[in-house]
Amino acid sequence: MSRFRGRLAAAAALVLVGFGLIGARMVYLQVYRHEELATRAEANRIAVLPVVPNRGLIVDRNGVVLATNYSAYTLEITPSKVSDLEGTIDALSQLVEIQTRDRRRFKRLVDESKSFESLPIRTKLTDAEVARFMAQRFRFPGVDVRARLFRNYPLGDTGSHFLGYIGRINQAEKKAMEDWDEDTQANYRGTEVIGKLGVEQSYEQELHGQTGFEEVETSAGGRAVRRLKSHPPTPGNTLMLSIDIKLQAMVEQMFGDRRGTLVAIDPRNGEVLAFVSKPTFDPNLFVDGIDYESWKELNESIDKPLLNRALRGTYPPGSTFKPFMALAALNTGKRSASTVIQDNGSFVFGNHTFRSHGDKGLGPVDMYRSIVKSSNVYYYSLANEMGVDLMHEQLSPMGFGRRTGIDLENEGTGLLPSTAWKKRAYKRPEQQKWYAGETISLGIGQGYNNFTMLQLASATATLVAGGQRYQPRLVREIENVVTHEKKKVSGDALAPLPFQPEHVALIMRALHGVTQEGTSTGVFAGAPYKTGGKTGTAQAVGVRANEKYNAAKLAEHQRDHSVYMAFAPMENPSIALAVIVENAGWGAAAAAPMARRVFDYALLGLWPSDEDMAATQQGKSVAPIGTPRHAVDVPLPGAGSGAMATLQGTVPDGAADRAAPSPARPPASAPQQLAAVPASRSAR
């Protein structure tokens, strides 16, 4: 009995100790940690959810919408909440169409994301698909339908290279975002997409907006029961570009299936009027993840549609380089305008002969005639006299071989050679040495010279502005969507270059002479305004000294490029451009005709006739043919009704103040086309 009582007492003591511990724990939790645990319980009951803002609009200089948003439903899976991912997707495919490309995209997202993130398996569900899934939703834990905003580019591939696109934030971008300040990181909570290229990328912070939040009461299962409090998001700001999208579309149409780029700049303020890179691509393909087949087609195409040729494509400028060489000669005193050089068709340096136009000489040539008739010998000898380092010293400030500072990321630098550059570029001592013979071909824009058309257009704008420089700008204004306050972006002048007015006047007069008695005479026949320009032929592949260039014997991608730089009107230039049509031959054959039609649009408000457009696309046009149309009467290619409504009744921005005193339209009869004289590859 005593043993039993002892055991009972021990058990009672143990129970008392246990209850004592429980009581002490309750006191500790309910008294000492009451406030902390009450806050945590409230946090479990209330969830603070970020509300992603609408991304800002992008419009052109006339208000045409280039990038907007729309809402659609997506079917999403949280991998960490699904035990059998493949089985779940197979079951979902019985309710909602899920294609092979959807599975591939989802797999890529799973590899790039964390398991607890909600990832879309299907986007842009129809109402019927949403209804079918919601009726069976109980069968699919970890799967839900969400409403998301999608970016839309209503004009499709028009202007895709400067617009860029948005895409899902990848791991590399998430890591880079860790270096952002705390406020910016907080503003991106809940954001799943970011600008990848173009102005979508470079103006990401302006376009993103301010994230809002919602406080919602949740059930034990984490489902939202009711909304307690909310703070609405602030949409991103509106970007107004300097681009005239109708001019952009016209130029892209003129290129047809050919490759190349055209950049047009207002020399009075640096605003970019057209920024064309062909071929283009449809940025809508990237918005919710591009499918494998489309990516492969774009990425492996020999035409490289994803390459932004205007920003990163570099080419030898050919004879379009000569006017800048002439200006450098005047600035340094190496040549006067009246200095005469005998052009016998070739220039001999050491044991090498540098050829001219089909080995035909031009006779005595002064500076004016050297530009108008495009004398190679004049510039071979000038390059030899100046030397590579003086050329670099004079031409680099004009923008050659350096970034222009345009408001796009990843701009190419091009190459303006110097002896210092060669020492840095090569490893072996014999390669680092600069040979005098290498300087000769630089004078006609060949050799190591490689520039972007953006650099050439910017240099042309600086020239016709008398040395006044501007950083090229695609964004003209940023409008705050709340206050409607507009902030001007473009137009800040840089320090001018010390050009002598009489030197600039001589070069511009010679460039005008090119259109009157030189290589682009036929192209500008009948133009009711005065313009200046210079044709060029840029080599795609080299030819041996004892061989002659024969395009018919070369593959299409090995033929010379057609280049043209130009400005208009002569009296007060309001547009300067550079254009290259890859593998299209000499400058007057393909590039110059496009410049003529750009000027007709910008100065006169005219759009090429159908037959003229077709001839230009084939590189067979000279002066315009047929009866041109008023640009306001021509539908914007690819535009929907909303965009078209914006365009109706508008004219090209600034056309009135750009136009020279001349008739608004040309006469009904087309100007007579002049016979084009074939030119050699290195001259024009």
Side-chain angles (χ1 to χ4, degrees):
M1 177 65 75
S2 61
R3 181 180 297 179
F4 172 76
R5 289 177 179 172
R7 290 177 177 176
L8 183 62
L14 184 62
V15 170
L16 288 174
V17 170
F19 275 105
L21 290 174
I22 292 173
R25 181 64 176 170
M26 290 177 64
V27 171
Y28 171 72
L29 293 176
Q30 294 190 27
V31 176
Y32 294 100
R33 296 190 62 191
H34 171 76
E35 185 174 345
E36 175 191 347
L37 295 177
T39 303
R40 187 181 299 180
E42 185 70 7
N44 290 335
R45 184 180 71 90
I46 300 174
V48 180
L49 305 176
V51 182
V52 180
N54 283 354
R55 197 168 177 85
L57 301 181
I58 302 176
V59 301
D60 88 327
R61 68 190 298 123
N62 294 314
V64 180
V65 177
L66 307 180
T68 184
N69 313 290
Y70 68 95
S71 181
Y73 289 108
T74 65
L75 183 63
E76 304 196 3
I77 301 175
T78 305
S80 63
K81 297 181 180 180
V82 178
S83 57
D84 181 6
L85 200 56
E86 289 299 324
T88 299
I89 295 175
D90 290 338
L92 286 170
S93 65
Q94 303 301 313
L95 301 174
V96 175
E97 182 183 10
I98 299 177
Q99 299 181 2
T100 302
R101 66 181 183 182
D102 297 320
R103 292 174 182 261
R104 287 175 177 166
R105 181 183 60 209
F106 181 76
K107 184 179 184 304
R108 187 177 72 249
L109 290 176
V110 170
D111 294 338
E112 294 176 350
S113 307
K114 298 176 181 178
S115 62
F116 56 80
E117 291 183 305
S118 179
L119 305 174
I121 181 67
R122 248 297 306 279
T123 61
K124 304 172 188 175
L125 300 176
T126 65
D127 291 341
E129 288 175 325
V130 172
R132 284 199 301 271
F133 170 76
M134 294 305 292
Q136 300 290 321
R137 183 171 172 273
F138 66 92
R139 297 170 46 201
F140 301 99
V143 184
D144 209 346
V145 168
R146 293 182 60 183
R148 289 184 181 269
L149 284 173
F150 289 88
R151 196 64 157 167
N152 180 46
Y153 304 96
L155 301 186
D157 60 0
T158 302
S160 58
H161 283 286
F162 69 76
L163 278 174
Y165 57 84
I166 66 168
R168 194 175 185 88
I169 301 174
N170 58 38
Q171 290 299 324
E173 289 163 336
K174 288 178 181 178
K175 186 170 181 59
M177 291 168 71
E178 294 175 359
D179 295 330
W180 293 0
D181 62 75
E182 291 184 5
D183 290 342
T184 305
Q185 289 188 51
N187 192 40
Y188 272 76
R189 286 175 187 155
T191 300
E192 296 182 346
V193 296
I194 197 169
K196 299 285 187 175
L197 286 176
V199 294
E200 289 276 28
Q201 178 187 33
S202 55
Y203 286 88
E204 168 63 31
Q205 301 297 322
E206 295 285 353
L207 290 166
H208 178 267
Q210 294 295 316
T211 298
F213 69 88
E214 285 185 346
E215 286 187 3
V216 295
E217 186 176 6
T218 60
S219 65
R223 306 293 304 170
V225 176
R226 63 191 176 102
R227 185 171 64 182
L228 302 176
K229 186 169 61 173
S230 67
H231 184 279
T234 303
N237 294 329
T238 298
L239 300 186
M240 175 176 281
L241 306 187
S242 60
I243 293 287
D244 183 334
I245 198 60
K246 208 165 190 185
L247 172 61
Q248 176 87 15
M250 186 189 79
V251 175
E252 290 184 8
Q253 188 176 345
M254 286 194 294
F255 268 99
D257 295 330
R258 300 172 298 176
R259 301 169 304 281
T261 174
L262 180 147
V263 178
I265 297 175
D266 188 333
R268 300 170 299 183
N269 51 29
E271 291 183 355
V272 178
L273 306 174
F275 196 79
V276 175
S277 176
K278 284 285 289 186
T280 57
F281 62 91
D282 186 353
N284 292 298
L285 293 172
F286 292 87
V287 171
D288 56 343
I290 189 169
D291 61 273
Y292 175 77
E293 291 78 10
S294 297
W295 171 252
K296 182 178 180 181
E297 181 181 352
L298 289 172
N299 197 43
E300 297 181 1
S301 171
I302 191 174
D303 292 331
K304 302 184 185 304
L306 295 177
L307 171 63
N308 189 335
R309 288 168 162 82
L311 188 70
R312 296 189 55 79
T314 58
Y315 309 87
S319 291
T320 61
F321 197 56
K322 292 175 179 176
F324 303 99
M325 281 289 296
L327 184 59
L330 293 171
N331 290 340
T332 58
K334 287 292 183 180
R335 291 273 171 90
S336 68
S338 59
T339 301
V340 174
I341 300 296
Q342 183 67 28
D343 182 347
N344 293 322
S346 63
F347 181 81
V348 178
F349 185 85
N351 58 358
H352 187 85
T353 300
F354 294 85
R355 297 181 297 183
S356 192
H357 314 320
D359 297 326
K360 294 181 180 179
L362 296 173
V365 177
D366 62 5
M367 185 170 287
Y368 174 88
R369 194 161 184 262
S370 75
I371 295 174
V372 172
K373 298 301 180 181
S374 198
S375 169
N376 278 4
V377 172
Y378 186 96
Y379 292 96
Y380 286 146
S381 63
L382 177 58
N384 185 45
E385 292 174 24
M386 292 185 66
V388 62
D389 286 333
L390 182 58
M391 291 165 58
H392 185 276
E393 176 188 309
Q394 288 293 311
L395 294 163
S396 179
M398 299 184 197
F400 293 109
R402 59 166 61 180
R403 294 184 178 91
T404 64
I406 192 172
D407 48 348
L408 291 179
E409 296 187 24
N410 302 312
E411 180 184 0
T413 56
L415 174 59
L416 180 66
S418 66
T419 55
W421 160 79
K422 199 174 185 189
K423 288 179 181 178
R424 294 192 306 268
Y426 293 96
K427 294 182 179 180
R428 298 207 306 262
E430 63 272 21
Q431 293 177 313
Q432 294 177 341
K433 181 180 178 181
W434 185 271
Y435 297 95
E438 295 176 307
T439 305
I440 309 304
S441 58
L442 298 179
I444 63 166
Q446 302 289 357
Y448 290 112
N449 285 327
N450 268 281
F451 313 123
T452 65
M453 288 301 105
L454 173 59
Q455 290 172 340
L456 183 56
S458 181
T460 303
T462 299
L463 168 64
V464 301
Q468 181 58 64
R469 299 181 300 156
Y470 296 90
Q471 280 189 331
R473 281 290 178 268
L474 285 161
V475 175
R476 194 182 197 187
E477 290 179 343
I478 300 175
E479 181 179 359
N480 187 296
V481 295
V482 177
T483 65
H484 298 291
E485 179 183 355
K486 294 181 179 180
K487 179 177 67 175
K488 189 173 178 60
V489 176
S490 59
D492 292 337
L494 302 176
L497 299 179
F499 294 164
Q500 297 298 318
E502 60 273 19
H503 296 166
V504 173
L506 169 64
I507 303 301
M508 291 180 65
R509 184 168 61 87
L511 292 173
H512 176 58
V514 173
T515 69
Q516 303 301 304
E517 52 181 312
T519 50
S520 60
T521 302
V523 173
F524 286 92
Y529 51 84
K530 293 181 179 180
T531 179
K534 183 72 189 76
T535 55
T537 306
Q539 293 180 6
V541 295
V543 175
R544 295 176 182 175
N546 59 349
E547 293 180 346
K548 288 194 175 182
Y549 174 77
N550 187 340
K553 292 183 179 181
L554 295 173
E556 193 267 344
H557 278 73
Q558 295 180 319
R559 296 171 187 168
D560 289 344
H561 306 312
S562 176
V563 194
Y564 195 66
M565 56 80 79
F567 64 92
M570 186 74 183
E571 298 79 8
N572 183 26
S574 58
I575 181 170
L577 63 80
V579 54
I580 188 167
V581 185
E582 294 182 11
N583 313 115
W586 65 299
M594 295 178 69
R596 164 70 190 269
R597 284 138 187 88
V598 168
F599 293 156
D600 284 354
Y601 175 95
L603 303 180
L604 308 175
L606 299 180
W607 189 284
S609 64
D610 288 338
E611 57 265 47
D612 189 49
M613 179 66 76
T616 303
Q617 289 174 340
Q618 299 170 22
K620 297 180 179 179
S621 64
V622 188
I625 58 176
T627 302
R629 295 163 285 178
H630 288 294
V632 294
D633 298 331
V634 180
L636 185 63
S641 58
M644 283 310 303
T646 307
L647 279 171
Q648 294 303 318
T650 65
V651 296
D653 186 271
D657 63 356
R658 290 197 197 106
S662 55
R665 335 179 39 125
S669 58
Q672 182 181 3
Q673 296 190 48
L674 303 182
V677 181
S680 77
R681 61 197 311 262
S682 59
R684 307 180 183 182

